[in-house]
Each structure stands twice: as structure tokens, then as C-alpha cells.
Amino acid sequence: MDVLTPDQRRKCMSHIRAKNTKPELAVRRVAHALGYRFRVHRTDLPGKPDLVFPSRRKVIFVHGCFWHRHEGCKLASSPKSNLDYWVPKFERTTERDQSNIEKLSEKGWNSYVIWECEIRDVELLAKSIVTFLDS
């Protein structure tokens, strides 16, 4: 059972950002420090990728483990209540993510997903960004 009233819950949920999140800013900081230049949130591309490298035709999505359901991750815990709401919401999110990646691929763009939990190890994050962008 939710301990907050519907109005309190709505206010809390309204503060969850869709862009410029801490994980996204961390990835942008690392990519910039590596010397890569990029655009952010291009609205003309499916899914509005978090980082866009136009000359390379590559994009990076930074996904939160909870919202985008990172399999096997402890951050992707499931709510215990209101499952009639949450399960379809998570399914729609994962389907939309996959659809956006497929649409980008059809347009000739390569996509890479960085999960929120992968950002903690900055050296590994930097290596994965270099590997993706230089391949």
C-alpha cells in the first residue's frame, strides 16, 4: 500500500527527469573528456538519443536500470503494489526502446545502451565508449 496520497505521489513522480539526469551527465562528461564531440537529444531521431555522434552515425542511450528494466540488475527492482499499472508500463518502455533502436538501425545509425549501473566504473565506461565509437 502506498504511504503517500495520490497528490503527493504525483508531485514526487513529476520531479523525475527525462533528460539531463545524473547518469547521462556522467556519460557526457566521460565522452567529452575522451575528446568526442556530440549533440544531445536530437528530436529528429527515433527515441531522442541522449548522445548523438552525427559524423560517425552512432548514438548512445543512457538508460536507468529501474525504468528500462535492466535484466539481472539489483537496481531494476519491481514495485510490490499496483502491479496492474507498473507491469504494462515497463513492458511499453522496453518495447519502445527496442523499436527505437530498430528504427535507428533502418536509418543507418548504430546504437549503444549504457545502463545506469555501468557508470560507476569510469575506466570501464570509458573503454566501452571508445570501443563503440571507434569500431
Side-chain angles (χ1 to χ4, degrees):
M1 177 134 185
D2 200 354
V3 295
L4 300 177
T5 66
D7 285 338
Q8 291 171 325
R9 176 62 59 204
R10 188 176 302 106
K11 184 177 179 183
C12 287
M13 296 301 283
S14 73
H15 291 287
I16 297 172
R17 293 184 279 175
K19 56 185 178 180
N20 300 323
T21 61
K22 287 182 183 180
E24 181 186 328
L25 293 175
V27 171
R28 285 167 34 185
R29 224 178 350 265
V30 170
H32 193 270
L34 290 168
Y36 296 107
R37 299 302 176 254
F38 48 86
R39 298 285 170 253
V40 294
H41 310 293
R42 285 231 338 231
T43 57
D44 60 326
L45 293 175
K48 298 181 204 168
D50 298 311
L51 286 82
V52 180
F53 303 85
S55 62
R56 299 169 188 270
R57 301 217 25 109
K58 295 187 178 194
V59 300
I60 294 178
F61 289 99
V62 182
H63 285 329
C65 296
F66 176 78
W67 296 105
H68 295 270
R69 310 314 297 161
H70 188 198
E71 284 189 42
C73 179
K74 67 179 181 177
L75 298 177
S77 61
S78 294
K80 305 264 187 280
S81 63
N82 204 8
L83 294 178
D84 292 339
Y85 169 78
W86 285 108
V87 171
K89 179 175 181 63
F90 291 143
E91 288 173 355
R92 284 191 313 271
T93 301
T94 55
E95 288 169 6
R96 185 178 60 242
D97 291 342
Q98 190 59 39
S99 172
N100 288 333
I101 289 172
E102 289 170 6
K103 288 176 187 173
L104 283 164
S105 180
E106 289 169 5
K107 292 182 176 208
W109 291 81
N110 290 328
S111 303
Y112 183 60
V113 174
I114 296 176
W115 293 97
E116 174 185 10
C117 62
E118 296 173 337
I119 294 169
R120 293 181 180 144
D121 187 346
V122 177
E123 289 180 23
L124 186 61
L125 174 63
K127 286 179 186 176
S128 68
I129 291 172
V130 169
T131 301
F132 171 65
L133 293 176
D134 290 346
S135 62

